[in-house]
Amino acid sequence: MKQLFSSRMMRISMVIVLALGSSIESNAQFGGLLNAAKRKASKAISDKVSNTTSKASEGSVVSLYYASGNPMGEWNPSTRQYTQMAKVGNEYKRGHVYTFEKDGSVTVDNGRRIGEILEDGTMNTAQTQNIKFNAQTGEVTRNGEWYGKMGDDNGLYLFNDKMGWSNNPMDKQIQAFILFNLIADNELLDKYKQKYDEKVKFNNEMRQQQIANAKADAASRTVAAPVTNAKADAAASRTGGASVTLWKGGSVAGEIRSNNQVWISGSNRGKIESNGDIWVGGSVAGQILSNGDIRKGGSIIGKVDGGRVWQNGSVIGEIRQNGDVVKNGSVIGRAEGMKDARAVAVVFFYGFFNL
C-alpha cells in the first residue's frame, strides 16, 4: 500500500500544530503553514469558505471542522466520498477526494487504493496501521490500546483532546478513519501517547499523595487537644505560636509571623487573621472560608482541601505535610514550621502577596 501523501510537509505541519493542542487543516498539496490567519475569528474563516461549500452543504452533505473552527472537509454519505479542504492563499478549497468503497477499500482521486476498513473495524493506511473503531462504544484503539473516541457530540477525540467535529451526525467509522488514518501518522500518535501516559502517571501520584494526606489529617485529629476557644484554636493552628519561614527557589523569601503578619522580602505585606480574613496593606482583600474556599474580592477563586490547591475547577498544586509547596508536579518552595496549609496556599498561589 503506497504512502498517501508524498510531501513530508503535511505530517510535519500536523505534528507541530496538534502537539501544541490545536488543530488546523491539512495543506500538503498546497504548501505553507498557517500563520496569523489561524488566529482570526472562526466566523471570518467560515465566511471565506461559504462560497465553495454552500452547494455541498445542501441535503445530506456533512461538514467537518477542526477544533480551531477551520474547515476540515465534507462527507457525502450518498456517494460515500470525503472531500478534503485545503488552504490556498487566504481561501479554503477542495483538495483530495477519498472514496470509501463497499468492499472496505479506500481510494483517492484517480482510483488509487490508499487504505482499508476491515469487517472487524480495523483500519489501515501507509501512515497508520491497526487502528480499530468499536461501533458499540465509539472508542478507538491502536494495537489494542485506547487512543480516543468518536463522541456523541459529533466530536473527534484523540485521547481526551477534541481535535474536531462534524456539524451533523455521520458515520463514526468514517470520522475515525479521517482523524486517525488520513490526518495523523505514527509519529504523531506516539507523541500523544507519551503525553497521555505522563499525565496518567502524574494523576496517580497526586491521588496517592492525597490519600496519604487524608490519612495523616485523620490521625492528627484523633490526638488533637479538645477545642476550648475557637478563635484562639484557629490562631494557634495557623501559626503554631511561631513564625513560618517561607522558602522559594532555594532561598528564604518571607515568613508568616506568630502575630499573623505576612512578610515578603523584608516588607510587611499584610496578614491572615485567625477568622480567615486576608489583609493586604490596610484593607481586607479576601478570606479563607471554613470549608476551605478562598474568596478574593467578591468571588470564590479557589479552594484548599486536604492539602490540594484548586483553581478554576482543577488541582493546580499541593501543600504537603512536610511543608513542601508543589506546583505542576514540581516542588517550588517550602513552608518551614507550617501548621495551616490554607495560609501557605494563600501566600504561594492566589496572588495576594506577590511572592
Side-chain angles (χ1 to χ4, degrees), residues 9 13-14 16-17 20 22-27 31-40 45 48 66 68-71 85-92:
M9 184 60 72
S13 65
M14 289 308 305
I16 292 173
V17 175
L20 290 175
S22 61
S23 301
I24 62 171
E25 68 289 333
S26 167
N27 58 353
L33 295 173
L34 291 180
N35 45 35
K38 74 176 184 179
R39 295 186 293 271
K40 294 183 179 179
I45 295 172
K48 291 178 182 178
Y66 288 96
S68 62
N70 296 335
M85 297 298 294
K87 189 178 182 185
V88 180
N90 291 326
E91 295 183 348
Y92 291 84

Side-chain angles (χ1 to χ4, degrees), residues 231-282:
K231 289 187 177 180
D233 223 26
S237 172
R238 204 172 296 284
T239 66
S243 295
V244 178
T245 304
L246 305 174
W247 292 74
K248 187 176 182 182
S251 60
V252 175
E255 62 179 327
I256 304 174
R257 295 187 174 180
S258 58
N259 62 359
N260 299 326
Q261 290 180 351
V262 178
W263 287 70
I264 305 295
S265 301
S267 174
N268 184 353
R269 300 292 178 84
K271 59 183 175 179
I272 303 175
E273 293 279 24
S274 59
N275 64 0
D277 285 349
I278 303 168
W279 289 74
V280 177

Side-chain angles (χ1 to χ4, degrees), residues 27-316:
N27 58 353
Q29 299 300 317
F30 300 94
L33 295 173
L34 291 180
N35 45 35
K38 74 176 184 179
R39 295 186 293 271
K40 294 183 179 179
S42 299
K43 183 179 184 301
I45 295 172
S46 299
D47 290 341
K48 291 178 182 178
V49 301
S50 60
N51 291 334
T52 60
T53 61
S54 57
K55 291 184 179 179
S57 298
E58 297 174 358
S60 59
V61 171
V62 178
S63 296
L64 291 92
Y65 300 90
Y66 288 96
S68 62
N70 296 335
M72 181 187 298
E74 299 168 347
W75 166 246
N76 189 328
S78 61
T79 62
R80 293 188 59 79
Q81 289 183 323
Y82 170 70
T83 303
Q84 172 195 17
M85 297 298 294
K87 189 178 182 185
V88 180
N90 291 326
E91 295 183 348
Y92 291 84
K93 295 186 178 181
R94 294 179 177 83
H96 289 301
V97 178
Y98 301 91
T99 301
F100 291 76
E101 309 288 355
K102 292 183 179 179
D103 65 357
S105 299
V106 182
T107 60
V108 61
D109 296 333
N110 59 4
R112 179 167 54 91
R113 187 174 186 271
I114 56 91
E116 63 183 1
I117 301 177
L118 304 180
E119 290 185 4
D120 67 351
T122 300
M123 304 176 292
N124 300 298
T125 59
Q127 60 191 43
T128 52
Q129 305 79 40
N130 204 22
I131 307 295
K132 189 171 183 179
F133 174 73
N134 186 323
Q136 299 299 318
T137 64
E139 296 188 341
V140 179
T141 58
R142 179 190 184 212
N143 298 322
E145 295 186 274
W146 182 76
Y147 265 71
K149 65 179 180 180
M150 299 298 111
D152 293 334
D153 60 350
N154 302 325
L156 289 68
Y157 290 85
L158 177 55
F159 290 105
N160 292 317
D161 292 334
K162 188 174 183 178
M163 313 307 294
W165 78 92
S166 61
N167 67 339
N168 284 306
M170 61 174 286
D171 189 326
K172 295 184 185 300
Q173 179 89 59
I174 305 300
Q175 280 185 327
F177 191 94
I178 291 170
L179 177 59
F180 285 90
N181 294 92
L182 294 183
I183 294 176
D185 62 8
N186 288 323
E187 182 181 0
L188 175 65
L189 295 180
D190 287 342
K191 288 185 176 181
Y192 258 78
K193 181 64 162 61
Q194 181 181 359
K195 176 183 173 183
Y196 174 75
D197 288 344
E198 290 173 351
K199 187 173 183 180
V200 169
K201 181 181 178 181
F202 173 76
N203 288 341
N204 286 337
E205 290 174 349
M206 289 291 292
R207 188 176 297 109
Q208 292 303 315
Q209 185 61 52
Q210 290 161 10
I211 293 172
N213 289 345
K215 289 180 178 179
D217 286 345
S220 66
R221 291 191 190 99
T222 62
V223 298
V227 175
T228 57
N229 184 298
K231 289 187 177 180
D233 223 26
S237 172
R238 204 172 296 284
T239 66
S243 295
V244 178
T245 304
L246 305 174
W247 292 74
K248 187 176 182 182
S251 60
V252 175
E255 62 179 327
I256 304 174
R257 295 187 174 180
S258 58
N259 62 359
N260 299 326
Q261 290 180 351
V262 178
W263 287 70
I264 305 295
S265 301
S267 174
N268 184 353
R269 300 292 178 84
K271 59 183 175 179
I272 303 175
E273 293 279 24
S274 59
N275 64 0
D277 285 349
I278 303 168
W279 289 74
V280 177
S283 61
V284 176
Q287 189 178 26
I288 302 174
L289 303 183
S290 58
N291 63 354
D293 283 349
I294 308 299
R295 184 189 301 277
K296 190 173 187 179
S299 303
I300 301 298
I301 62 170
K303 186 180 183 72
V304 183
D305 179 25
R308 295 169 298 177
V309 181
W310 293 77
Q311 191 171 39
N312 297 325
S314 301
V315 175
I316 61 171

